[in-house]
Amino acid sequence: MLVSIAINGVSRFMCSTRHGVWTSPIGFACSVRDSTRCFVIAAIARVRKTQYTLGDVRGGVCQCENQTIEAKARALHEHIFSKPEDTYAGKPWDVVKAINDFADESRMMTFKNAKIEASRQQIAKIQPAPKTFIEFGGYVGASAIAWGAILRELNNTDSAVDVNVYTFELSPVNAGVARDLIRLAGLENTVHIFEGPAADSLKRLFEEGKLKEAGVDVAFFDHWEQFYLPDLQLCEDLGLFRMGSKVIADNTDFPGAPAYLEYVKSGGRQGGSYRYETESIETASNRGPVGSPYLYLNICVVVGTDCFSEHRRVLYLIWHSLPPMFPSAVKAHCRHVKQVTH
Ligand SMILES: C[S@@+](CC[C@H](N)C(=O)[O-])C[C@H]1O[C@@H](n2cnc3c(N)ncnc32)[C@H](O)[C@@H]1O
C-alpha cells in the first residue's frame, strides 16, 4: 500500500512491506515490496523532479532487505528439514511444491508453479531436447530444481549424463540453502550452484570449458533486473547461444526491465551477433489478480547468429586480458572495435 504524507510541508511517500527495509534517496526509511518499489521511485522522482532508473530501484536493496531475504531462506530450510527425511528425499517436484507452499505463506520471491508450467511448455518445444541451462538468480533453488527435473524428463534420463543446470546466486546464505535442497531432491549431479555475481561465475565456467560456444540451450533471468541486459550481452560476447536457444526472463514488465525489453524487442544488438524474436506470455494466476503484470514472462528465441564467433571470442579474450589500469581511452577504442567488428 502506498501512502502519501506531508512532513514539514513536503510530500513524502511510504508503502507497505513484503520484505525488508529500503532507504530512499530522500533519506527516510520506507518498507518496500517488489510490487510497490517502482511506484515509490516514480513518486519520489516526481517530488524531487529527478529521473530515477531501475538501477536505483535495485541499488536500493539495502543490507536490511538482504538480511530479511536470507532470514526467510533460513526459515524455509528449517521448515523442510524438520520433516522426516524420506518425505522429500529424491523427489524433486515434492521439494519444489514444499518450497513454494512455504514461499506463498511467507511471501518469498520464488518462481511459482504457474510460471514453471508455462516455462516447461516453452522448453519442451526446443529441438533437440535441451541439455544445458543457465539460471541467473538461484535464491533457494525452487526454479533450479524444477529445471533439473524438466531437463531429465525431456532427455529421458534419471542420471546426470550431459544434462546440466548452472545456477548463480549472489548470497552465500541463499546458495547454502539451495545447495541443501538440491541435494535433498537428488539432483546434486545435475544442478550446480555458484556463489557470487552471476557474471563472474559465467565467465569462470566459460574459461574452464564447462560452458562452450553455442552450448547453452536455455538461459533464465530472475536476478535483479538491472543486470538482465548486461548479463544477456555477456552471454552474447561469449557466444553461448545457438539457433533456437531460448531466453526466459521474469519480471520484465513489472517491477520491470525496460532496457532489456527494448533491446530484445528491437531484435538484439545493432549489427550484433544474435537476432531474437520475442513475446511476453501471460501465465495462469497464482500471484496477483488476472491481468496483473506479475503474470508475464518474456520469452526470446534466437533466430539468427552471425558468422564472426571466432573474431568475437578473440576480441573478448583480448579485452578481458587488458590490465585494469589500462588507459580507459584504449579500452574504449577496443570496445568500439569489438562493436563494429560484430
Ligand atoms: C527472485 S530471486 C530468484 C528466485 C529463484 N529463481 C527461485 O525460484 O527460487 C532473485 C535472486 O537473485 C539473486 N541475485 C541478484 N543479483 C544477482 C547477481 N548479479 N548475481 C547472482 N545472483 C543475484 C538475489 O540474491 C536473489 O536471491
Side-chain angles (χ1 to χ4, degrees):
M1 184 184 64
L2 186 64
V3 181
S4 169
I5 55 171
I7 301 172
N8 296 334
V10 179
S11 294
R12 309 277 178 174
F13 294 86
M14 300 188 76
C15 64
S16 66
T17 182
R18 180 173 61 148
H19 52 242
V21 176
W22 175 78
T23 305
S24 80
I26 57 174
F28 74 99
C30 62
S31 301
V32 178
R33 50 179 288 191
D34 265 353
S35 60
T36 50
R37 202 175 280 142
C38 282
F39 288 127
V40 173
I41 291 292
I44 292 166
R46 182 171 290 188
V47 170
R48 302 189 80 205
K49 294 192 171 53
T50 310
Q51 285 293 320
Y52 287 94
T53 64
L54 272 157
D56 298 316
V57 179
R58 281 310 191 190
V61 176
C62 73
Q63 195 58 24
C64 310
E65 179 157 358
N66 278 339
Q67 282 167 6
T68 308
I69 291 169
E70 289 171 349
K72 288 184 179 186
R74 282 199 185 94
L76 168 77
H77 188 278
E78 207 177 305
H79 168 75
I80 290 194
F81 284 93
S82 68
K83 307 276 185 250
E85 206 190 320
D86 62 355
T87 315
Y88 301 119
K91 302 171 190 163
W93 289 113
D94 290 358
V95 176
V96 173
K97 182 173 182 317
I99 296 174
N100 275 337
D101 286 349
F102 185 89
D104 277 342
E105 293 271 306
S106 356
R107 305 187 70 109
M108 288 169 75
M109 52 178 182
T110 56
F111 197 63
K112 302 293 187 317
N113 302 334
K115 286 187 172 177
I116 291 175
E117 189 43 45
S119 305
R120 178 215 288 271
Q121 287 171 20
Q122 292 292 328
I123 297 166
K125 290 184 205 157
I126 300 176
Q127 288 301 329
K131 290 180 184 293
T132 305
F133 197 121
I134 54 176
E135 174 181 87
F136 297 75
Y139 194 27
V140 291
S143 46
I145 293 171
W147 308 138
I150 290 170
L151 255 53
R152 282 193 180 188
E153 285 162 19
L154 292 175
N155 287 280
N156 294 319
T157 176
D158 282 335
S159 73
V161 185
D162 273 352
V163 173
N164 291 293
V165 176
Y166 299 98
T167 178
F168 310 123
E169 171 53 45
L170 204 50
S171 147
V173 172
N174 299 340
V177 171
R179 196 169 288 118
D180 285 352
L181 292 172
I182 290 164
R183 197 177 305 120
L184 179 66
L187 290 177
E188 68 275 23
N189 295 325
T190 298
V191 182
H192 318 281
I193 184 147
F194 297 88
E195 285 172 28
D200 294 352
S201 303
L202 189 72
K203 283 183 224 163
R204 212 171 34 248
L205 282 173
F206 182 76
E207 279 153 19
E208 289 168 3
K210 290 186 180 137
L211 287 176
K212 298 199 165 50
E213 268 192 53
V216 168
D217 301 302
V218 191
F220 174 55
F221 288 88
D222 194 20
H223 51 340
W224 302 153
E225 291 85 5
Q226 76 203 66
F227 298 118
Y228 282 19
L229 182 54
D231 286 349
L232 176 71
Q233 290 178 334
L234 176 61
C235 294
E236 295 177 353
D237 287 343
L238 298 175
L240 295 179
F241 300 137
R242 61 168 172 88
M243 285 283 281
S245 293
K246 285 196 173 173
V247 184
I248 302 173
D250 196 16
N251 308 321
T252 45
D253 299 273
F254 202 82
Y260 174 91
L261 264 193
E262 192 184 327
Y263 180 82
V264 294
K265 279 183 179 167
S266 73
R269 197 158 12 197
Q270 209 55 35
S273 47
Y274 292 105
R275 303 303 297 161
Y276 304 107
E277 271 176 11
T278 188
E279 59 173 336
S280 287
I281 57 164
E282 189 174 4
T283 65
S285 170
N286 65 358
R287 185 188 186 196
V290 172
S292 107
Y294 267 135
L295 307 179
Y296 286 90
L297 284 176
N298 182 267
I299 313 286
C300 288
V301 188
V302 175
V303 292
T305 59
D306 73 6
C307 53
F308 294 115
S309 57
E310 190 53 25
H311 288 153
R312 185 181 53 235
R313 201 177 65 78
V314 170
L315 282 163
Y316 173 85
L317 292 175
I318 294 170
W319 165 251
H320 285 277
S321 62
L322 294 177
M325 300 306 290
F326 210 79
S328 55
V330 179
K331 274 202 153 196
H333 177 69
C334 285
R335 190 185 286 280
H336 174 70
V337 170
K338 196 170 133 206
Q339 277 168 1
V340 296
T341 316
H342 270 176

